Amino acid sequence: MLAETLLCLLNAGIIQAAATAQLSLNNILSLDSQNLPSPPTFSLPAAQNLTITVAYCSSETTSTRFFVTNSTSVDDPGPGGGTDVYEIPVDRGLGAFSGIFPNGGVLALDGDIPDNFSFEIGASDDGPIHQVLATFPLLGDTTSNQALLFSPPFDPPSFSEPSYPNYTLPSPLLSPPSPPNSSPNFTLVITPTSSQVLTSLPQTACMISSQSSSSGNIANESLWLRDEQGWRMQWLIEGLSPQTNYTAYVVENNTTLSGPMYFVTKSAIFACPIAAFLPYCPGVTYAVPLPASGSALSIYDNTNIPSAISDTLLTYFSNFTIALTTQACGRDYYSPLQTCADCQRAYFRWLCSVSFPRCGEESPTTTTTSSSSGETSVDIPTFTSALQAQTTSSSPRNPTFPSMNMSYSVLLPCIETCQATDRACPNFLGFACPLARFNANSSYGVGYIDGADPDQQGLGVPGSAQDQWGNVWCNLV
Ligand SMILES: *[C@@H]1O[C@H](CO)[C@@H](O)[C@H](O)[C@H]1NC(C)=O
Ligand SMILES: *[C@@H]1O[C@H](CO)[C@@H](O)[C@H](O)[C@H]1NC(C)=O
Ligand SMILES: *[C@@H]1O[C@H](CO)[C@@H](O)[C@H](O)[C@H]1NC(C)=O
Ligand SMILES: *[C@@H]1O[C@H](CO)[C@@H](O)[C@H](O)[C@H]1NC(C)=O
Ligand SMILES: *[C@@H]1O[C@H](CO)[C@@H](O)[C@H](O)[C@H]1NC(C)=O
Ligand SMILES: *[C@@H]1O[C@H](CO)[C@@H](O)[C@H](O)[C@H]1NC(C)=O
Ligand SMILES: *[C@@H]1O[C@H](CO)[C@@H](O)[C@H](O)[C@H]1NC(C)=O
Ligand SMILES: *[C@@H]1O[C@H](CO)[C@@H](O)[C@H](O)[C@H]1NC(C)=O
Ligand SMILES: *[C@@H]1O[C@H](CO)[C@@H](O)[C@H](O)[C@H]1NC(C)=O
Ligand SMILES: *[C@@H]1O[C@H](CO)[C@@H](O)[C@H](O)[C@H]1NC(C)=O
Ligand SMILES: *[C@@H]1O[C@H](CO)[C@@H](O)[C@H](O)[C@H]1NC(C)=O
Ligand SMILES: *[C@@H]1O[C@H](CO)[C@@H](O)[C@H](O)[C@H]1NC(C)=O
């Protein structure tokens, strides 16, 4: 009698252990060495294409391995293998496996599980829950102690092409569009690169976002539609140190990691303030040659930008749109590829990039020497940014800007901004760009994105205006 009861209890115990460790569809289990079921197995939900992900949330080194099976006849998949037993490969703390699980399955941990080891597992029928995005966060610009950073984009805007006979082109925006109702939850993490802490950890969202000691403080956090790639979270960070290389990550929805990206603050003498929040030039998110702004955030925005600058710009916008629509837009096609609306968008971007000169500074040299034997030294090639020195006697590049009581360097616009406008607009407007073989490099950064010849698209030296390592070569709004 007693033995029978004991047997019943044992059976109940086994069934319960199997039933509590359930991984449900599109959900996450947060686990650590203390709250693991015994044995450490989890039943998996059924799905035609199930993606199972594992993310380490602590830096304990572990030899733990993760095995799954989609077979109903295996209840403890492990290194012994068997039919339909698979190992989830884990790289830098992140593992993913996709397969067909028509009747569900089992996930099992194998090997020693160290104390304090914490991790998450997730199962989804809609792609991986835990992932590292291929898209990096974006740098707007830095000053000596501030940085303007952007999350990866979401919700790209849709343009509706106007049609003839009511071909109405949009006017420049005077107030920003209203942000979407729901947005991902973004968290920003920044540390000085020299400490090398973040990049040596498991590259997962839970690990990186648990590093609470972030550098600087967030002075402003708001959604901004910077370009046609979509909305981004925009952060203005204050309290950084001059001439310092920082590492930044963005965590999305607690599960998705973007980064690392690097940025370098300017030297202590850099005096140009950041301009941002300009609805008619949403891509102007960088340092401009203006005197210090008295605003609380020490930046220029729509409320304090000198009206001589914005009024002139808006007149150019409307005069250009009037000239453009003397063409029978939407009825007479000047190009099989481009429309008046494309031309107007390209011109607006170009006008913003030339109307708001950008202050720049030579990046600290990234040249490293490897001298393992003390004899070889390898120089990593670096490119010089398109900087042009301005002294107190130079006239400002945009005459509506005041003369500056200091010398500084301007980071020239990338010539591709001009060429895109030239390509998109009808000939009769007479829009033309200087040629690389003459003196284009006195007003534009030439050869960074495309090569120096007009037909060398995509053959430029670094191939972009800036990179995720903190280098910025020319200005692209
Ligand atoms: C398990 O997955 C493999 C490969 O995806 C598949 O060939 C097999 O049919 C699956 N087994 C079951 C029982 O669905
Ligand atoms: C586990 O964490 C506790 C508190 O954080 C710490 O005191 C202990 O040393 C850790 N144990 C191991 C084995 O790392
Ligand atoms: C299953 O989902 C993964 C992740 O989204 C995807 O890479 C894979 O191609 C899908 N497989 C099938 C057969 O649809
Ligand atoms: C022309 O289009 C604009 C914008 O799409 C709209 O506001 C306007 O009412 C239209 N005018 C006519 C006459 O349809
Ligand atoms: C984050 O959540 C939002 C809404 O909650 C969703 O639209 C977005 O796709 C999610 N992002 C990722 C990377 O899963
Ligand atoms: C977003 O994530 C942060 C950090 O994990 C959390 O504190 C916050 O409550 C989350 N907000 C929402 C709306 O989910
Ligand atoms: C961020 O700054 C902009 C421009 O100064 C302002 O309009 C906005 O209200 C600020 N947002 C927050 C959350 O402080
Ligand atoms: C992110 O984590 C926080 C704290 O753990 C939680 O409050 C929030 O709901 C989570 N957000 C999402 C989108 O899962
Ligand atoms: C715009 O057009 C008006 C009227 O033709 C002209 O007076 C003005 O100078 C033009 N403005 C610019 C900036 O070209
Ligand atoms: C220009 O700079 C000099 C020296 O730094 C200073 O004495 C002078 O007041 C400044 N002038 C203006 C208009 O700011
Ligand atoms: C500009 O281009 C000319 C002709 O290609 C070249 O001689 C000159 O050195 C360049 N100047 C700069 C600053 O790169
Ligand atoms: C910043 O640090 C990273 C990592 O060491 C390095 O790859 C990058 O070149 C540095 N950037 C600059 C501009 O010094």
Side-chain angles (χ1 to χ4, degrees):
M1 189 64 194
L2 195 67
E4 233 176 80
T5 317
L6 200 60
L7 201 65
C8 275
L9 277 174
L10 275 176
N11 274 337
I14 288 165
I15 289 161
Q16 217 183 353
T20 44
Q22 265 274 349
L23 187 54
S24 51
L25 197 58
N26 302 325
N27 244 319
I28 295 174
L29 276 184
S30 284
L31 300 154
D32 59 46
S33 338
Q34 264 69 55
N35 70 357
L36 277 180
S38 174
T41 58
F42 302 85
S43 70
L44 297 171
Q48 269 319 306
N49 187 3
L50 190 70
T51 305
I52 301 146
T53 49
V54 175
Y56 294 0
C57 309
S58 63
S59 52
E60 265 68 37
T61 50
T62 173
S63 57
T64 315
R65 294 162 75 186
F66 296 80
F67 291 90
V68 290
T69 181
N70 59 354
S71 153
T72 45
S73 57
V74 180
D75 45 14
D76 189 8
T83 321
D84 291 337
V85 171
Y86 307 93
E87 178 166 8
I88 304 180
V90 178
D91 180 32
R92 303 196 73 192
L94 184 69
F97 177 86
S98 294
I100 51 170
F101 287 76
N103 308 306
V106 178
L107 179 149
L109 274 66
D110 184 82
D112 282 344
I113 299 163
D115 288 349
N116 292 2
F117 177 56
S118 70
F119 62 101
E120 292 178 349
I121 50 181
S124 158
D125 59 357
D126 187 23
I129 293 184
H130 298 98
Q131 55 179 321
V132 176
L133 288 184
T135 327
F136 287 91
L138 180 75
L139 171 69
D141 206 353
T142 56
T143 65
S144 60
N145 59 5
Q146 292 174 315
L148 195 65
L149 301 175
F150 295 88
S151 72
F154 65 96
D155 265 13
S158 55
F159 298 108
S160 56
E161 179 71 24
S163 62
Y164 189 81
N166 181 16
Y167 198 97
T168 314
L169 286 170
S171 310
L173 292 178
L174 298 179
S175 56
S178 35
N181 292 330
S182 79
S183 92
N185 185 354
F186 291 111
T187 314
L188 177 69
V189 180
I190 301 176
T191 62
T193 301
S194 57
S195 66
Q196 283 295 346
V197 174
L198 297 183
T199 46
S200 62
L201 295 173
Q203 298 294 289
T204 61
C206 57
M207 182 76 249
I208 297 295
S209 57
S210 70
Q211 302 300 298
S212 47
S213 58
S214 206
S215 304
N217 54 289
I218 296 175
N220 184 294
E221 176 177 40
S222 40
L223 290 171
W224 190 248
L225 185 58
R226 188 178 177 278
D227 51 38
E228 68 278 359
Q229 292 185 300
W231 288 87
R232 295 170 187 268
M233 185 60 85
Q234 174 179 256
W235 290 278
L236 180 67
I237 315 298
E238 288 180 343
L240 301 172
S241 308
Q243 220 156 41
T244 306
N245 192 344
Y246 287 93
T247 308
Y249 288 87
V250 170
V251 171
E252 190 171 332
N253 297 348
N254 298 353
T255 53
T256 301
L257 189 67
S258 166
M261 63 91 81
Y262 301 87
F263 63 90
V264 188
T265 46
K266 305 288 198 306
S267 62
I269 57 163
F270 185 82
C272 297
I274 281 178
F277 300 103
L278 304 177
Y280 43 87
C281 286
V284 171
T285 52
Y286 51 78
V288 294
L290 284 174
S293 132
S295 78
L297 295 175
S298 10
I299 64 166
Y300 280 94
D301 63 17
N302 210 14
T303 62
N304 63 352
I305 197 89
S307 58
I309 300 174
S310 51
D311 289 351
T312 308
L313 183 91
L314 292 171
T315 317
Y316 274 115
F317 275 160
S318 45
N319 283 13
F320 181 83
T321 306
I322 292 167
L324 176 61
T325 46
T326 59
Q327 156 108 12
C329 290
R331 190 196 69 187
D332 299 346
Y333 287 92
Y334 58 90
S335 152
L337 299 173
Q338 308 279 359
T339 65
C340 291
D342 294 329
C343 163
Q344 194 207 34
R345 277 195 294 272
Y347 177 81
F348 278 13
R349 285 181 78 152
W350 170 81
L351 187 62
C352 289
S353 76
V354 298
S355 299
F356 285 95
R358 174 167 176 170
C359 297
E361 204 171 57
E362 207 65 73
S363 299
T365 44
T366 51
T367 318
T368 52
T369 45
S370 90
S371 49
S372 47
S373 66
E375 282 160 29
T376 53
S377 89
V378 180
D379 289 332
I380 296 174
T382 52
F383 315 111
T384 321
S385 301
L387 291 169
Q388 196 174 70
Q390 307 282 298
T391 62
T392 47
S393 57
S394 334
S395 49
R397 294 184 62 84
N398 174 349
T400 62
F401 271 62
S403 286
M404 287 288 277
N405 191 9
M406 60 176 188
S407 44
Y408 60 97
S409 292
V410 158
L411 184 74
L412 298 174
C414 308
I415 196 165
E416 290 75 13
T417 314
C418 183
Q419 290 164 342
T421 313
D422 188 9
R423 271 199 303 276
C425 289
N427 279 329
F428 81 89
L429 289 171
F431 189 92
C433 302
L435 293 174
R437 67 174 182 279
F438 297 120
N439 59 347
N441 61 3
S442 64
S443 21
Y444 291 99
V446 177
Y448 294 98
I449 303 178
D450 296 344
D453 288 333
D455 42 277
Q456 280 191 310
Q457 269 198 63
L459 297 176
V461 183
S464 64
Q466 63 184 69
D467 67 7
Q468 76 265 32
W469 308 108
N471 302 297
V472 184
W473 295 289
C474 56
N475 187 29
L476 191 70
V477 307

mmCIF file of all heavy atoms in Angstrom, residues 70-71 84 86 99-100 102-103, ligand 1:
data_model
loop_
_atom_site.group_PDB
_atom_site.id
_atom_site.type_symbol
_atom_site.label_atom_id
_atom_site.label_comp_id
_atom_site.label_asym_id
_atom_site.label_seq_id
_atom_site.Cartn_x
_atom_site.Cartn_y
_atom_site.Cartn_z
ATOM 1 N N ASN A 70 12.538 17.225 -32.735
ATOM 2 C CA ASN A 70 11.140 17.381 -33.158
ATOM 3 C C ASN A 70 10.456 16.019 -33.180
ATOM 4 O O ASN A 70 9.368 15.873 -33.694
ATOM 5 C CB ASN A 70 11.044 18.066 -34.522
ATOM 6 C CG ASN A 70 11.772 17.310 -35.620
ATOM 7 O OD1 ASN A 70 12.444 16.321 -35.349
ATOM 8 N ND2 ASN A 70 11.634 17.790 -36.845
ATOM 9 N N SER A 71 11.140 15.009 -32.613
ATOM 10 C CA SER A 71 10.569 13.658 -32.596
ATOM 11 C C SER A 71 9.806 13.461 -31.288
ATOM 12 O O SER A 71 10.233 13.932 -30.229
ATOM 13 C CB SER A 71 11.705 12.642 -32.727
ATOM 14 O OG SER A 71 11.331 11.429 -32.123
ATOM 15 N N ASP A 84 16.472 12.857 -35.658
ATOM 16 C CA ASP A 84 15.858 14.164 -35.435
ATOM 17 C C ASP A 84 16.305 14.826 -34.133
ATOM 18 O O ASP A 84 15.526 15.485 -33.458
ATOM 19 C CB ASP A 84 14.335 14.052 -35.487
ATOM 20 C CG ASP A 84 13.830 13.744 -36.891
ATOM 21 O OD1 ASP A 84 14.577 14.044 -37.855
ATOM 22 O OD2 ASP A 84 12.718 13.210 -37.021
ATOM 23 N N TYR A 86 19.042 17.616 -32.819
ATOM 24 C CA TYR A 86 19.898 18.669 -33.373
ATOM 25 C C TYR A 86 20.480 19.496 -32.238
ATOM 26 O O TYR A 86 19.827 19.726 -31.224
ATOM 27 C CB TYR A 86 19.096 19.602 -34.298
ATOM 28 C CG TYR A 86 18.332 18.860 -35.365
ATOM 29 C CD1 TYR A 86 17.006 18.484 -35.165
ATOM 30 C CD2 TYR A 86 18.953 18.511 -36.565
ATOM 31 C CE1 TYR A 86 16.306 17.785 -36.127
ATOM 32 C CE2 TYR A 86 18.257 17.804 -37.541
ATOM 33 C CZ TYR A 86 16.939 17.448 -37.321
ATOM 34 O OH TYR A 86 16.262 16.747 -38.277
ATOM 35 N N GLY A 99 13.276 24.809 -37.563
ATOM 36 C CA GLY A 99 12.916 23.524 -38.128
ATOM 37 C C GLY A 99 11.420 23.299 -38.063
ATOM 38 O O GLY A 99 10.680 24.130 -37.526
ATOM 39 N N ILE A 100 10.982 22.156 -38.632
ATOM 40 C CA ILE A 100 9.547 21.858 -38.601
ATOM 41 C C ILE A 100 9.243 21.021 -37.365
ATOM 42 O O ILE A 100 9.904 20.024 -37.092
ATOM 43 C CB ILE A 100 9.057 21.166 -39.895
ATOM 44 C CG1 ILE A 100 9.943 19.960 -40.248
ATOM 45 C CG2 ILE A 100 9.057 22.142 -41.054
ATOM 46 C CD1 ILE A 100 9.332 19.129 -41.364
ATOM 47 N N PRO A 102 5.914 19.626 -36.265
ATOM 48 C CA PRO A 102 4.469 19.436 -36.410
ATOM 49 C C PRO A 102 3.808 18.951 -35.116
ATOM 50 O O PRO A 102 2.646 19.261 -34.863
ATOM 51 C CB PRO A 102 4.352 18.388 -37.521
ATOM 52 C CG PRO A 102 5.699 17.783 -37.671
ATOM 53 C CD PRO A 102 6.675 18.778 -37.195
ATOM 54 N N ASN A 103 4.554 18.188 -34.290
ATOM 55 C CA ASN A 103 3.964 17.703 -33.042
ATOM 56 C C ASN A 103 4.695 18.258 -31.825
ATOM 57 O O ASN A 103 4.735 17.639 -30.774
ATOM 58 C CB ASN A 103 4.023 16.172 -33.005
ATOM 59 C CG ASN A 103 3.441 15.565 -34.265
ATOM 60 O OD1 ASN A 103 2.299 15.878 -34.622
ATOM 61 N ND2 ASN A 103 4.221 14.758 -34.965
HETATM 62 C C1 LIG B 1 12.047 16.846 -37.949
HETATM 63 O O1 LIG B 1 12.780 17.787 -38.751
HETATM 64 C C2 LIG B 1 13.408 17.201 -39.881
HETATM 65 C C3 LIG B 1 14.226 18.242 -40.568
HETATM 66 O O2 LIG B 1 13.622 19.508 -40.485
HETATM 67 C C4 LIG B 1 12.364 16.596 -40.786
HETATM 68 O O3 LIG B 1 13.002 15.979 -41.897
HETATM 69 C C5 LIG B 1 11.550 15.561 -40.012
HETATM 70 O O4 LIG B 1 10.507 15.077 -40.818
HETATM 71 C C6 LIG B 1 10.970 16.161 -38.751
HETATM 72 N N1 LIG B 1 10.341 15.128 -37.958
HETATM 73 C C7 LIG B 1 9.059 15.161 -37.618
HETATM 74 C C8 LIG B 1 8.561 14.041 -36.757
HETATM 75 O O5 LIG B 1 8.313 16.047 -37.996
#
